[in-house]
Amino acid sequence: MKVNVENILNEFASFTRSLPNINEPQLISFAFDIHINDALLITDKLNELSSDIFLFRIPNNKLTVYGFNSALELNPNEAINFASVSANYNFWKKNCINNWDKKNILNKFILCCSAKFDCINSSEEWNDFRTLSVYVPEFLLAFRNNKVSGCYNFVIDSSRNFEIITRNLVSFLEKLSIINDGLVQAAYQKAKILSKLNSKELEQWKEIAEKALNELNEGSVKKLVLSRAYSFNLNSKIIWSSLLNELFKRFPDCYLFFIQKNNSIFFGSSPEMFLKVSDNIAEVESVAGSAPRGEKLESDYELEKTLRTSEKNHQEHLFVSDFISEILIHYSDKVRIIEEKQIRKLDNIQHLITRISAELNSKENLFELIDSLFPTPAVCGVQKDIAKDLIRKFESHDRGLYSGLIGLMDFDGNCELAVSIRSALVRENKVTAFAGAGLVKNFDADEEFLETNLKLNTILSLFTDENKSK
């Protein structure tokens, strides 16, 4: 870790002296140079800086962003949709001053975003997380390849006090500078857990699956995604730098995320892009239809072949792709399929995937577009509102951020958002992992249960279960 505190403070003083007279509140973003060897290796040390941490890594290590604390909340209290953020977004877009043109910043993503699956159903275990959160972190670190850039963000008005603002920067930099530059990533050691043995899990799944089948047969919905929550207790401390690095090594094609708020942590590795907008080009992924990986090349190919020819999986996939295309048509005159029903192979599972692109008619409708797409039938169902009501009725757990959204935005109408699946909530010594399965007519409850086990294994395989090793 190399932090030239004196040099950064001199640059900061020069930057603040150059600021114009402030008549109304302004968001200030000061970029500075910093050197860090490994983004994930320092996670446990950075945890000492704050109890409010946001980590998001775009697949294949294209970009890793850490956000610490909150400088500015864009979403009003109790906001339940992205459209409610629009007015604040437009105000701060016009009232933002930065020195980015003088620094080689790695990206312009300055907003951290997360949204729960359901704005109505909320339980105590998710209280540390807001239903919708769109905010500018106080400190932001961005990593790409071997380059790192930092930003200090704060709001000032006519009564600005740069003495306090400077002290905050000094405090952060001093804490950052004591992180040991000689840290080495040790061999991964799994944290130990004690699972809660429940022989009735399959029985409980079949019970709600039967209810879902009745709804499908009656035609109230065409597809319904039901999920399971699997809880267990920690019997040893999680070394987050090691665990996140293991997740990234096993799933480099997935979005890696980690959010800490107070005593709760939500983390995971998602294969599903929700929405990417870059220079007015929107891209959405339809990820629906799954099969396990084979132990050998021949068996893996046979499972892929079954996935490609499965009527059930294709029907499930088509519902998602059609939904996305129909939404995008309202926002674009140029919607096209980039890749259709391709196979994405992950460490333990393979998916059908279709990529859909659209040239947006306007950047002004970004938040409306997000609300229209969310949640997609990949995690909810068709028709959306009815499916969500049935999920509330059938599932005994609160999904919280599972199957919600997580990602980054800038003030130019660009974003990269992922569907927060293959994930878990850690609260004190309890871990709850989540997984779901898409149900359509003539589904097999046993097969869907096995599919949820396969998806749960993304999280469960990171731990050693002492109950099962006895």
Side-chain angles (χ1 to χ4, degrees), residues 162 240 247 428 438 448 470:
F162 280 118
W240 284 108
L247 258 184
E428 296 177 349
E448 301 301 332
K470 291 178 180 178

Side-chain angles (χ1 to χ4, degrees), residues 11-122:
E11 290 182 354
F12 183 67
S14 176
F15 170 66
T16 55
R17 285 195 297 268
S18 71
L19 293 175
N21 291 329
I22 305 297
N23 297 317
E24 60 181 339
Q26 297 284 327
L27 171 64
I28 311 298
S29 183
F30 168 71
F32 56 88
D33 296 321
I34 192 171
H35 301 281
I36 301 175
N37 290 337
D38 188 310
L40 298 182
L41 183 59
I42 59 176
T43 306
D44 298 287
K45 291 291 184 180
L46 292 180
N47 188 48
E48 298 171 6
L49 292 175
S50 172
S51 61
D52 185 341
I53 301 174
F54 182 101
L55 164 65
F56 188 72
R57 172 172 271 189
I58 294 171
N60 294 307
N61 201 18
K62 291 179 183 175
L63 180 71
T64 302
V65 172
Y66 276 100
F68 300 92
N69 306 327
S70 175
L72 174 66
E73 299 277 350
L74 267 66
N75 46 299
N77 289 334
E78 307 306 322
I80 60 174
N81 57 43
F82 279 85
S84 64
V85 175
S86 183
N88 283 338
Y89 177 88
N90 289 328
F91 174 84
W92 292 109
K93 176 182 179 179
K94 296 175 183 176
N95 292 277
C96 181
I97 301 173
N98 60 66
N99 66 334
W100 296 351
D101 59 330
K102 297 180 180 179
K103 291 291 179 181
N104 185 26
I105 64 167
L106 298 179
N107 77 102
K108 292 185 179 181
F109 286 135
I110 192 174
L111 296 165
C112 299
C113 312
S114 64
K116 292 181 180 178
F117 170 79
D118 190 349
C119 63
I120 296 176
N121 187 22
S122 184

Side-chain angles (χ1 to χ4, degrees), residues 418-462:
V419 183
S420 47
I421 54 176
R422 312 295 148 79
S423 52
L425 171 68
V426 180
R427 188 176 169 90
E428 296 177 349
N429 73 326
K430 178 184 176 183
V431 182
T432 303
F434 301 88
L439 311 180
V440 295
K441 279 186 178 180
N442 302 318
F443 72 87
D444 185 302
D446 290 302
E447 288 184 5
E448 301 301 332
F449 184 78
L450 291 175
E451 181 178 317
T452 61
N453 280 342
L454 193 62
K455 293 172 179 176
L456 283 170
N457 192 56
T458 300
I459 300 298
L460 299 182
S461 62
L462 298 169

Side-chain angles (χ1 to χ4, degrees), residues 194-212:
L194 290 173
S195 62
K196 298 180 179 179
L197 303 176
N198 184 359
S199 59
K200 294 185 178 180
E201 277 187 74
L202 178 57
E203 181 183 326
Q204 292 167 348
W205 171 259
K206 286 186 173 182
E207 187 178 318
I208 63 169
E210 185 176 349
K211 294 177 182 178

